[in-house]
Amino acid sequence: MWIAATTAGLFAGAGLIIAIGAQNAFVLRQGLQRRHVGMVVLACAGADIALILAGVGGMGALVQQWPLLLQVLRFGGAAFLLWYGLQAGLRAWHGGSALAAAETQGGSGRQVLLTCLAFTLLNPHVYLDTVVLLASLSTRYPGELRWAFAAGACVASVAWFCTLGYGARLLQPVFRRPAAWRVLDAGVAVFMFCLATLLLLRPL
C-alpha cells in the first residue's frame, strides 16, 4: 500500500507540475544561462514541498475559506506577469549577442531568488494545485498513507525542477545564436501576457 500511495502521489504531482507555466519558463531560462541554477531549483522545489505538506496537513481547507487571499494573488500575479512579459518583449526587440552575453546578464543572486519566489508564490494556481487539489487526492489514503502520497508528489517536484534546470544545458548549442534568444524571449513575452490575461478575465 505504501508503494501504491507513493506512486500515485508521484504521478499526480508530475501531472500538475510538468505543465507549461511561467515558473517553468523562468527555470528554463536560468538553466540556459547556467546562472544560480541550484538556488532556483532549490527554491522552486522547496516551495512546492512546503505547500504540498501544508495541504496534506490540513491547510487546504483554510485556503478554501479565504477566497479573498486567492483574489489578491490573482491580481498581484497578473501584474507581475505583465511586467516580466514586458521585460522579455524588450529583450526580444533589442536582441543580444547570443549565449555568451546572456550568461553575463540575469541579475544578482538576490534578484533571481526574488523573481523565482514571485513566480512561485504570486501564482494562485500553485495553491489550488498543491494545497487544495493534491491534498484532496491524498484523503483517498487512510492514516499515514497520506504522507506516502505527499512524498511521491514531492519527489516529482524535485525530479522535474532538477531536470528542467540542469537539463537546459543540452540546448545551449542552439542558444549560442542571437536569433534563438530573441525567439525564446518573444515566446516568453507572449506566454506571460496570455497568462496574465487569463488570470484577469477568468475567476478562480
Side-chain angles (χ1 to χ4, degrees):
M1 289 296 292
W2 282 85
I3 294 177
T6 304
T7 303
L10 179 69
F11 282 104
L16 292 173
I17 295 164
I18 307 176
I20 297 175
Q23 183 191 50
N24 288 342
F26 177 76
V27 176
L28 176 64
R29 196 173 204 282
Q30 292 302 127
L32 286 168
Q33 294 178 331
R34 301 181 74 171
R35 291 182 58 83
H36 311 296
V37 179
M39 181 181 66
V40 168
V41 168
L42 182 62
C44 291
D48 265 7
I49 290 171
L51 291 171
I52 291 168
L53 296 179
V56 173
M59 186 179 162
L62 187 62
V63 169
Q64 289 177 308
Q65 291 175 5
W66 284 1
L68 180 60
L69 174 61
L70 289 178
Q71 294 308 315
V72 171
L73 292 169
R74 172 189 172 195
F75 291 106
F80 175 75
L81 290 174
L82 288 172
W83 173 82
Y84 192 84
L86 178 61
Q87 301 301 310
L90 290 174
R91 288 196 303 267
W93 179 263
H94 294 297
S97 53
L99 186 60
E103 289 172 345
T104 66
Q105 301 170 359
S108 66
R110 181 173 178 272
Q111 291 173 324
V112 170
L113 178 60
L114 290 176
T115 303
C116 180
L117 292 177
F119 273 121
T120 303
L121 301 178
L122 287 179
N123 176 12
H125 291 287
V126 74
Y127 298 94
L128 295 176
D129 288 347
T130 57
V131 179
V132 177
L133 183 54
L134 282 176
S136 298
L137 292 174
S138 74
T139 60
R140 299 170 53 191
Y141 299 91
E144 298 301 316
L145 290 178
R146 289 184 306 139
W147 298 105
F149 179 91
C154 292
V155 169
S157 176
V158 172
W160 169 246
F161 286 118
C162 286
T163 300
L164 187 62
Y166 291 104
R169 66 186 62 190
L170 298 176
L171 297 175
Q172 283 188 324
V174 175
F175 284 90
R176 293 197 180 279
R177 294 176 295 183
W181 279 101
R182 299 188 73 171
V183 170
L184 175 66
D185 282 326
V188 167
V190 172
F191 187 56
M192 298 300 169
F193 289 142
C194 289
L195 286 178
T197 302
L198 288 174
L199 278 179
L200 291 172
L201 299 181
R202 190 170 62 188
L204 296 171

